[in-house]
Amino acid sequence: MKKFILLFIIFTTALSNAQGTGSLGGILTDKEYNNEPLAFANVLLKGTTIGTTSDFDGLYSFENIEPGTYTLIFSFVGYETQEINANVVAGKTTEVNVIMNASAASLDEVLITTTTKRESETALLLDQKKAVEIKQSIGAVELERKGVSNAAGAVAKISGVSKQEGSSNVYVRGLGDRYLNTTMNGLSLPSNDVSKKNIDLDLFSSDVIENVSISKAYSSKFYSDFAAGNVDISSKDYKGNGFFNFGVGSSINTNAIGKDFVRSEGTGHFGFYNRYAQDPFAVILSHGFDPVDAGTPINTSFGGSFGKSFTFENGSKLSFYGTGSFENDFQYRKGSNVDYTNVEKKAFEEAEEFEYGTTTTAMASIIYKIDSSNTIKFNSLFVNSSSDKVGYFGIDGKGRNRDAIANTDEGFFQQNIQFNENLIYVNQLIGIHKFDKIDLDWGFGHNFVNAHEPDRKRLSFENYQYALDNDPNTNPIFYSNVDFDNQRYFQDIQDEELNGRINLAYEAKENIKLNFGYNARTKERRFNNVRYGYDIIDNSGIADVNDLNSFFTLDNLNLTSNEGTYEIKVIKPYPNLGNTNRPGLDENTYKGKLDIYAGYFNAEINFGEKWLIVPGLRVESFDQYIEYDVINLGVNGNDNISASDVLFLPSLSLKYALKEDQNLRFSASQTISLPEFKEVAPFVYESVSQRIGGNPDLLGHKEGIDYTNVKDVSYSKILNLDLKYEWFVTKSELISIGAFYKQIEDPINQVVAFDATGTQRFFRTGDKAQIIGVEAEIRKNIIVNENEDPELSFGLNATYMHTEQDLFSDIIGSNFNVSFVKDKEELQGASPLIVNTDISYSPSSFENYKPIATLAFSYFSDRIDALGSGQLGNVIEKGVPTLDFILKNKIGEKFEINFAAKNLLDPSITYIRETTQGDIVVTSPNGKDVSDYKKGMNIGLQIKYKF
């Protein structure tokens, strides 16, 4: 196609130049990126003022040139400038094709090339224009400009995408975690959370990101479990001579500063916990309850990166890139915590939570470019993420609990001290090989996750108002209706996955490219938890609720009858051991396994200059299995269930070039959605006031059980339709508008059960759900400099959608039942309106000073967090606007000092339940343990230096 376009240019210019002048033209390609077209390179006729730039396809041309010999100068930032002589003949076009090489002469130029070309907004717009499928990307340059520090913030800047405040959930076109996939360099990534399918994108700092893209339309190369889209993180690499940079930063949160921060005893400043080798019962005996001082709540961050390349005599090149960073974050939340179904069960109108979070990231990348046709790359990523929360609920002494013993109307108080640590290891080996008519790329990955919740401490009190009255004769007492109202809880998750992909692209003809591929993954999760409860023997009163270590001592442990103040209980004792003051077995366990093997085929067929047609077919087999042993189902709690199938999934993608800079795209596909382990395993996780668990019926029927509206199918079938118009106005300006439709058969929703516990579970709630929406994006330069680079620019993207699903009146399964009074409802997680906009100012009038100021705004409207059942109303997550201001100051080529003020509007983060009594503020298992709180503004300063 490129040759056809070039010949067409040559032919038309030759016709126009038949009256005594000639022309020059050709293609510029990039040797550093496998001879891909090099756009926006400068081409100048030496000794004249005549010049041009190469277009999106690397093409350039000069028309109406007087015959003679000319010297062409080809230049591009970070590449060797080349001068080539060419002879212009009247009536003819001289073709000069040039391969551009990266410059080895200037370190700074090489740095600019390798950190900008594939990360810049211009390059990503070019990639979007040429892409086979419908996708959008955001690169490191734009992330830096908008002050985005991680991948979650990155995708939230893309049209149709929003992030749930207070959690790691990302929604694409109204579809949440279960409909989304996350990959890194095209290989699947693990989840770091038992309750999530996808990894927390907050964990990927901008230091490891080259760009983040979302493919919203399905392609046969993706796994069939696809509806909302596929988020792919491209990791950074380096191909220059060498560099090293280092940066430090600090910030404060306006809510947290000035507070006396506390965190769990036994955790470190850098977010590591060092007692995993010890038995939980030994930890209980040797370590107390009380939190410890967390220090002054000032956020800090530091990190550095380096790169080095070696070029050998045979032309091969070995490149290294490494980066490491640490950041912490103090957050203080004050709000309410309410458990309300059809009646109030428990209510804390005043609650507070101190959270100290850390993220430690390290990544190494090795690239060996054997020659211009063969490259091998190895990536290794390690992330440690921790969350250390200390929550106090009922701090005003007015907490209520309808099951309280001493007083149901006031004085109920709970303390929750919880540390979560996620250790993530990702290793990838990737190869790219280019031959005459065949391109081969492959990749293998190994993922391993250790997700721990070690030693969660939860205590409950009554008559807490007496702790506030300064009367030594009146004291709070323990709430001890059952032994586990006061408890220590330990939980471990291990996820391990092997995955791989291979794709062979064959250029059958100049206008036909065939892709044959295979990918597979085998994933296993192991989960276990154990809980120890406290039977309070002496409940005469607690003199100081801030000094519980003096109560729970070994001396006070009741080893003989009535000679202590408390006893330790476990639910599942070891054989021949009692359940009192002895270690115990795991309380709940489950093991899940998912095997997927698939082959696919698609063809990229070009018709003339206008049409690109890509038909595809994927054949995929899956086998899903889960076995569990849980206490909440009694005699039915030890069981297993499995499901398997072979699927044939067609897809079609069309691209029509209305003009050189305008595309019209259409996509249609059939995909599925598989239930996740956490949706299937019936284990129930209990937060301070919420309970959430899985439902094995999602994998289908079991023999001998009567069901109503439980489908004998283990997946949801999804029809996807997309239509999009794109106009690439200039190299950095874009106008696009699109429409999309999705139909989901047998959809799964999170539902609040209409029972005494109000446990939220997952059900196939109806026969069909539909989504119809439109999205639009504009990127406009308001002021540009003499090089056509933007100085004042504006961006806006917005999505509006309508969702509707039908609901069964009753669902009766093997263990869980639910009913609905409505027959129609919106889809869970769908915001009707999502908006992202920003404006940036970057004047170029200063010689050694390059400031960039950006104001960025985002908003999502109210959406259903969980469906209500029976007479219960829905839980609604209220819409949230966010406004950030970023000022980056580059002084010279080596020094940066940056300022950020985030969450300037400081809106309330609120969940409500719709009831006949009106809207009632509640908490959600998808959010924090506090609702109706403000996050506070984050104000920070960062200094970076490049060596």
Side-chain angles (χ1 to χ4, degrees), residues 462-511:
E462 296 191 85
N463 289 333
Y464 182 73
Q465 71 274 16
Y466 294 150
L468 308 175
D469 62 5
N470 295 319
D471 184 349
N473 298 314
T474 57
N475 293 310
I477 60 174
F478 285 103
Y479 172 65
S480 188
N481 187 31
V482 297
D483 294 339
F484 293 90
D485 288 323
N486 302 284
Q487 59 174 264
R488 306 276 282 266
Y489 176 93
F490 302 80
Q491 174 180 294
D492 284 297
I493 308 163
Q494 289 189 354
D495 262 18
E496 187 166 17
E497 177 180 338
L498 290 171
N499 56 74
R501 61 174 173 82
I502 185 169
N503 185 88
L504 187 149
Y506 172 62
E507 188 177 346
K509 294 183 179 179
E510 189 173 284
N511 64 329

Side-chain angles (χ1 to χ4, degrees), residues 483-484 529-533 568-574 578-580 582-588 630-632:
D483 294 339
F484 293 90
N529 83 294
V530 64
R531 181 174 47 156
Y532 289 92
I568 301 173
K569 302 287 186 178
V570 69
I571 289 181
K572 289 187 176 181
Y574 279 99
N579 72 335
T580 302
R582 296 292 187 272
L585 297 170
D586 291 333
E587 181 178 335
N588 298 282
V630 297
I631 65 169
N632 67 87

Side-chain angles (χ1 to χ4, degrees), residues 109-226:
E109 287 186 352
V110 173
L111 283 173
I112 292 172
T113 300
T114 57
T115 59
T116 301
K117 183 178 185 299
R118 294 166 61 190
E119 303 168 355
S120 69
E121 295 165 72
T122 299
L124 292 174
L125 278 182
L126 173 60
D127 182 60
Q128 180 177 329
K129 176 179 182 289
K130 298 174 64 178
V132 173
E133 71 270 14
I134 298 174
K135 75 172 186 177
Q136 290 173 268
S137 301
I138 183 169
V141 172
E142 188 174 356
L143 298 185
E144 186 177 12
R145 176 170 62 83
K146 295 180 178 179
V148 177
S149 60
N150 54 57
V155 297
K157 301 299 182 184
I158 294 175
S159 62
V161 183
S162 64
K163 183 178 182 296
Q164 186 174 41
E165 288 298 333
S167 82
S168 61
N169 287 343
V170 171
Y171 292 91
V172 178
R173 290 175 167 178
L175 298 176
D177 178 69
R178 71 177 322 277
Y179 294 105
L180 194 64
N181 294 314
T182 309
T183 57
M184 181 175 175
N185 302 316
L187 293 167
S188 57
L189 283 171
S191 171
N192 62 295
D193 189 332
V194 66
S195 63
K196 300 291 187 294
K197 170 185 176 183
N198 292 276
I199 195 167
D200 184 353
L201 293 175
D202 287 333
L203 303 181
F204 292 88
S205 69
S206 56
D207 294 328
V208 305
I209 299 170
E210 183 172 271
N211 63 70
V212 181
S213 65
I214 292 185
S215 297
K216 299 178 183 177
Y218 181 72
S219 170
S220 56
K221 67 181 180 182
F222 295 127
Y223 288 101
S224 63
D225 188 0
F226 182 106

Side-chain angles (χ1 to χ4, degrees), residues 641-923:
I641 189 168
S642 63
S644 60
D645 208 340
V646 177
L647 306 167
F648 293 83
L649 302 170
S651 61
L652 176 66
S653 178
L654 305 175
K655 182 173 76 169
Y656 178 69
L658 297 168
K659 295 182 179 179
E660 183 182 352
D661 55 1
Q662 297 179 45
N663 291 330
L664 186 63
R665 297 177 180 270
F666 171 77
S667 176
S669 62
Q670 182 77 64
T671 59
I672 66 166
S673 175
L674 290 168
E676 287 301 303
F677 295 141
K678 57 102 177 189
E679 296 175 337
V680 176
F683 158 74
V684 174
Y685 183 85
E686 299 183 20
S687 59
V688 174
S689 63
Q690 298 294 326
R691 295 162 54 92
I692 187 168
N695 180 5
D697 293 340
L698 296 181
L699 291 186
H701 291 172
K702 291 179 73 73
E703 293 183 6
I705 301 175
D706 293 329
Y707 295 87
T708 300
N709 291 326
V710 174
K711 299 298 184 72
D712 192 17
V713 62
S714 62
Y715 55 87
S716 304
K717 189 179 291 185
I718 304 170
L719 172 66
N720 308 280
L721 299 175
D722 286 89
L723 181 66
K724 186 175 185 180
Y725 164 78
E726 303 170 323
W727 179 17
F728 299 87
V729 183
T730 67
K731 65 181 182 179
S732 58
E733 294 179 304
L734 168 71
I735 297 174
S736 72
I737 185 168
F740 56 92
Y741 172 81
K742 295 182 184 293
Q743 179 177 292
I744 306 173
E745 296 181 16
D746 308 311
I748 292 176
N749 282 266
Q750 187 174 327
V751 181
V752 185
F754 187 63
D755 59 22
T757 65
T759 301
Q760 298 191 20
R761 293 190 187 272
F762 300 87
F763 294 87
R764 296 193 186 277
T765 51
D767 286 319
K768 184 173 64 176
Q770 298 182 84
I771 304 170
I772 184 169
V774 294
E775 59 185 9
E777 180 176 12
I778 180 171
R779 301 188 193 183
K780 176 64 179 173
N781 298 332
I782 302 171
I783 300 174
V784 296
N785 59 23
E786 64 275 8
N787 296 321
E788 299 299 317
D789 294 322
E791 291 195 347
L792 182 64
S793 60
F794 168 77
L796 169 68
N797 64 69
T799 300
Y800 177 79
M801 56 195 149
H802 171 76
T803 66
E804 183 178 278
Q805 61 178 324
D806 53 43
L807 299 176
F808 295 132
S809 58
D810 295 291
I811 303 172
I812 301 173
S814 60
N815 293 291
F816 310 113
N817 307 326
V818 74
S819 63
F820 298 99
V821 294
K822 295 182 180 180
D823 58 3
K824 300 286 184 184
E825 187 55 274
E826 293 180 355
L827 194 66
Q828 176 208 344
S831 293
L833 179 64
I834 301 171
V835 177
N836 298 296
T837 184
D838 66 87
I839 186 167
S840 291
Y841 180 57
S842 53
S844 58
S845 55
F846 304 102
E847 183 175 351
N848 292 314
Y849 173 50
K850 298 177 182 178
I852 303 175
T854 300
L855 194 65
F857 173 83
S858 63
Y859 171 75
F860 65 83
S861 59
D862 296 358
R863 55 193 174 204
I864 296 175
D865 182 65
L867 293 179
S869 62
Q871 301 298 319
L872 300 181
N874 298 328
V875 177
I876 304 295
E877 180 187 7
K878 301 299 288 182
V880 175
T882 303
L883 181 66
D884 298 334
F885 173 72
I886 311 298
L887 177 62
K888 308 189 78 66
N889 301 277
K890 188 173 183 181
I891 303 171
E893 292 298 322
K894 298 182 179 297
F895 185 69
E896 280 187 38
I897 181 167
N898 305 318
F899 171 79
K902 298 186 177 182
N903 197 37
L904 293 172
L905 301 177
D906 198 15
S908 294
I909 310 301
T910 306
Y911 294 84
I912 59 100
R913 181 185 291 285
E914 300 172 327
T915 77
T916 56
Q917 308 300 316
D919 294 342
I920 294 177
V921 175
V922 296
T923 53

